[in-house]
């Protein structure tokens, strides 16, 4: 199929999925979850083909980690679909807005967005998460993954579509664009007649290209230059554990910590044990000039503070106060996730109120910015913009509303 044919088929399918009952949707989601496990060998074989090609093409370890599947990851993906099936959808809910003097009753009804398109890289779990959330909210979805994950994505979508067909649901509700050239991405960005919203998910280059070139409405998802500020009142052991978790538990994801800010009053005491722990984990540190006087590390450039490393590397800067930390984060950050480690309520309140990010934390790792961890079941991405959604995007993010007006013969 051409990309335009994908769009036309998705538009027709979207009207059908919007009319499905929640019970019917839950049945097909359960079927998808079960079939992912039943067909895991086929998925792993397809993934092995992608991994082999990726290694031959010199893909980095970070991207290979995003691409790779194993039995545990497939089980996690299937569990995510199962959890989405158990969530309560708000589709069809009506809220009375007002009753007019002439007797008209005006309601607001929650409805699906329609056709969602996604352009994304590497991570095959996105294929399933996005399809599950789209179906749960009565939408149709067009998936355009990267060439590096093509065989895996094709197998996953084949399994999903077989489950749809088995339950009597239009299989064009979930489609994979088989053309992985730049042309197909460009075409999706311009298909206003078929696509209601476009969601890019991947590296900074991909997201920038979509935001700058799309005529379709775009939800900008997050590049994650996430910060942790260690206040002078922080509990050192807690701060160290949070930083090590946020940086090293899975450095290739967007909610991993990339920059650490440390109050000057504790830097000489706190930095050496932190350095020892991070070094043992293989982390490369790029520090400000003051940091280099306390621990052995690379000297940071201005650009280092803007970087989303997505690897075992981070930047460290010593700051004079919580206000300097806030200013630094708002300048160099990406409005994704940032945390303060502190026992000072006034400083905590200043930080949580002053940092302009989708998720702000107190005494916790940034790694929790995730749809599953937030109780959303799964996520279609993490929005770093302010309209119309922000943060991990679960079911509510894939809905809109229309007004329903009930009368008994009123004319104007």
């Amino acid at each position: 199929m051409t990309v335009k044919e994908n769009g036309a088929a998705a538009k027709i399918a979207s009207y059908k999925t919007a009319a499905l009952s929640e019970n019917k949707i839950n049945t097909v989601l359960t079927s998808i979850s079960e079939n992912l496990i039943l067909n895991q060998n086929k998925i792993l074989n397809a993934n092995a083909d992608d991994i082999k090609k990726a290694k031959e093409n010199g893909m980095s370890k970070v991207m290979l980690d995003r691409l790779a599947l194993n039995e545990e990851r497939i089980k996690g993906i299937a569990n995510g679909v199962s959890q989405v099936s158990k969530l309560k959808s708000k589709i069809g809910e009506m809220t009375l807005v007002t009753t007019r003097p002439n007797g008209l009753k005006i309601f607001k009804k929650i409805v699906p967005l329609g056709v969602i398109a996604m352009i994304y890289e590497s991570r095959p779990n996105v294929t399933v998460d996005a399809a599950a959330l789209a179906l749960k909210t009565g939408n149709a979805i067009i998936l355009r993954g990267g060439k590096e994950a093509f065989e895996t994505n094709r197998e996953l979508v084949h399994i999903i579509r077989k489950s749809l067909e088995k339950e009597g649901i239009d299989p064009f509700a979930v489609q994979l664009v088989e053309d992985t050239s730049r042309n197909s991405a460009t075409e999706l960005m311009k298909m206003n007649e078929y696509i209601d919203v476009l969601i890019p998910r991947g590296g900074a280059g991909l997201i920038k290209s979509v935001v700058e070139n799309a005529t379709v409405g775009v939800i900008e998802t997050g590049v994650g230059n996430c910060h942790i500020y260690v206040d002078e009142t922080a509990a050192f052991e807690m701060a160290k554990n949070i930083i090590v978790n946020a940086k090293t538990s899975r450095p290739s994801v967007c909610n991993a910590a990339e920059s650490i800010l440390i109050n000057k009053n504790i830097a000489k005491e706190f930095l050496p044990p932190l350095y020892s722990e991070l070094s043992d984990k293989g982390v490369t540190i790029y520090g400000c000039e003051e940091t280099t006087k306390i621990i052995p590390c690379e000297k940071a450039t201005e650009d280092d503070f803007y970087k989303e490393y997505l690897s075992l590397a981070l930047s460290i800067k010593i700051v004079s106060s919580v206000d300097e930390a806030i200013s630094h984060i708002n300048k160099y950050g990406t409005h994704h996730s940032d945390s303060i480690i502190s026992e000072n309520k006034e400083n905590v309140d200043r930080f949580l109120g002053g940092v302009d990010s989708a998720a702000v934390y107190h005494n916790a790792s940034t790694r929790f910015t995730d749809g599953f961890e937030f109780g959303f079941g799964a996520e279609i991405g993490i929005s770093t913009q302010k309209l119309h959604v922000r943060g991990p995007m679960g079911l509510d993010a894939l809905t809109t509303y229309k007004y329903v007006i009930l009368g008994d013969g009123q004319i104007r």
Side-chain angles (χ1 to χ4, degrees):
M1 294 178 71
T2 65
V3 177
K4 191 167 185 177
E5 288 170 338
N6 288 134
K11 179 60 77 173
I12 293 170
S14 72
Y15 299 133
K16 299 175 185 176
T17 53
L20 293 172
S21 70
E22 187 170 8
N23 284 339
K24 185 67 172 177
I25 291 173
N26 290 341
T27 298
V28 75
L29 290 174
T30 300
S31 175
I32 291 169
S33 178
E34 292 171 350
N35 286 330
L36 288 170
I37 298 298
L38 289 173
N39 291 279
Q40 68 176 4
N41 287 338
K42 292 181 180 179
I43 298 169
L44 291 173
N45 287 338
N47 189 245
D49 289 342
D50 285 329
I51 292 289
K52 180 181 177 183
K53 292 174 188 173
K55 287 180 177 178
E56 290 171 355
N57 292 327
M59 179 179 278
S60 69
K61 289 183 179 180
V62 170
M63 298 304 287
L64 282 170
D65 177 62
R66 289 187 169 196
L67 174 60
L69 292 179
N70 53 37
E71 289 186 10
E72 183 180 355
R73 287 187 177 182
I74 292 173
K75 184 178 178 180
I77 292 169
N79 286 340
V81 178
S82 179
Q83 186 160 341
V84 169
S85 74
K86 295 178 174 65
L87 297 174
K88 179 73 176 82
S89 172
K90 293 182 180 179
I91 294 294
E93 286 187 7
M94 294 220 299
T95 303
L96 179 63
V97 175
T98 186
T99 300
R100 302 298 298 148
N102 61 6
L104 284 177
K105 292 183 177 180
I106 301 176
F107 293 83
K108 184 183 283 187
K109 183 178 182 179
I110 298 176
V111 297
L113 283 170
V115 177
I116 300 163
M118 281 198 70
I119 301 175
Y120 56 106
E121 300 169 335
S122 293
R123 295 168 65 174
N125 65 294
V126 174
T127 301
V128 181
D129 289 350
L133 289 167
L135 290 169
K136 180 70 178 185
T137 46
N139 293 289
I141 191 163
I142 301 172
L143 300 159
R144 194 279 190 186
K147 63 182 179 181
E148 69 282 348
F150 179 73
E151 297 298 335
T152 310
N153 287 337
R154 181 162 61 177
E155 185 60 40
L156 291 169
V157 171
H158 176 73
I159 292 166
I160 292 168
R161 287 168 63 95
K162 282 291 185 182
S163 300
L164 292 172
E165 288 178 332
K166 183 181 177 182
E167 298 300 328
I169 297 173
D170 189 339
F172 289 105
V174 178
Q175 297 180 69
L176 180 71
V177 175
E178 299 212 351
D179 176 4
T180 59
S181 70
R182 184 172 296 179
N183 290 340
S184 67
T186 302
E187 196 169 353
L188 278 176
M189 296 179 205
K190 310 291 185 184
M191 289 198 343
N192 297 62
E193 69 271 38
Y194 298 126
I195 294 172
D196 294 288
V197 67
L198 176 60
I199 303 172
R201 186 167 172 181
L206 167 67
I207 294 168
K208 184 174 185 286
S209 175
V210 173
V211 170
E212 291 181 351
N213 295 295
T215 57
V216 174
V218 174
I219 298 176
E220 184 176 353
T221 61
V223 174
N225 181 10
C226 302
H227 295 73
I228 295 175
Y229 167 57
V230 185
D231 192 34
E232 61 184 324
T233 63
F236 280 16
E237 192 65 21
M238 176 197 291
K240 185 180 70 173
N241 290 340
I242 287 172
I243 291 168
V244 170
N245 171 265
K247 177 70 265 182
T248 68
S249 62
R250 196 173 178 194
S252 65
V253 294
C254 64
N255 57 23
E258 305 288 26
S259 191
I260 309 301
L261 307 177
I262 300 171
N263 188 281
K264 66 179 183 179
N265 294 327
I266 61 167
K268 289 182 179 179
E269 186 180 357
F270 179 71
L271 265 173
L274 176 65
Y275 169 78
S276 176
E277 190 83 13
L278 291 174
S279 295
D280 288 346
K281 298 283 188 179
V283 177
T284 300
I285 296 172
Y286 299 87
C288 68
E289 186 173 350
E290 290 302 310
T291 300
T292 63
K293 295 175 182 178
I294 301 172
I295 59 172
C297 63
E298 302 287 334
K299 186 175 180 180
T301 65
E302 178 82 357
D303 287 344
D304 286 321
F305 293 115
Y306 284 106
K307 281 184 181 177
E308 181 189 32
Y309 291 95
L310 297 175
S311 64
L312 287 173
L314 54 73
S315 63
I316 293 180
K317 181 175 176 60
I318 296 171
V319 296
S320 61
S321 66
V322 66
D323 292 320
E324 185 182 348
I326 292 167
S327 295
H328 180 96
I329 292 168
N330 287 339
K331 177 180 178 179
Y332 294 98
T334 54
H335 310 292
H336 193 295
S337 303
D338 302 287
S339 182
I340 179 173
I341 315 303
S342 174
E343 299 304 315
N344 182 302
K345 185 179 186 304
E346 181 180 348
N347 285 352
V348 170
D349 290 344
R350 290 172 76 87
F351 185 94
L352 298 181
V355 171
D356 184 24
S357 294
V360 287
Y361 290 83
H362 173 220
N363 288 352
S365 170
T366 57
R367 289 280 286 112
F368 288 100
T369 306
D370 174 271
F372 189 85
E373 294 294 337
F374 277 25
F376 299 164
E379 69 182 34
I380 203 163
I382 297 172
S383 170
T384 53
Q385 66 184 43
K386 298 181 181 180
L387 295 176
H388 76 286
V389 290
R390 200 177 194 193
M393 295 185 290
L395 299 183
D396 290 352
L398 304 184
T399 66
T400 184
Y401 59 84
K402 63 182 177 183
Y403 288 102
V404 176
I405 301 93
L406 304 181
D408 55 5
Q410 290 87 342
I411 59 173
R412 182 178 180 184

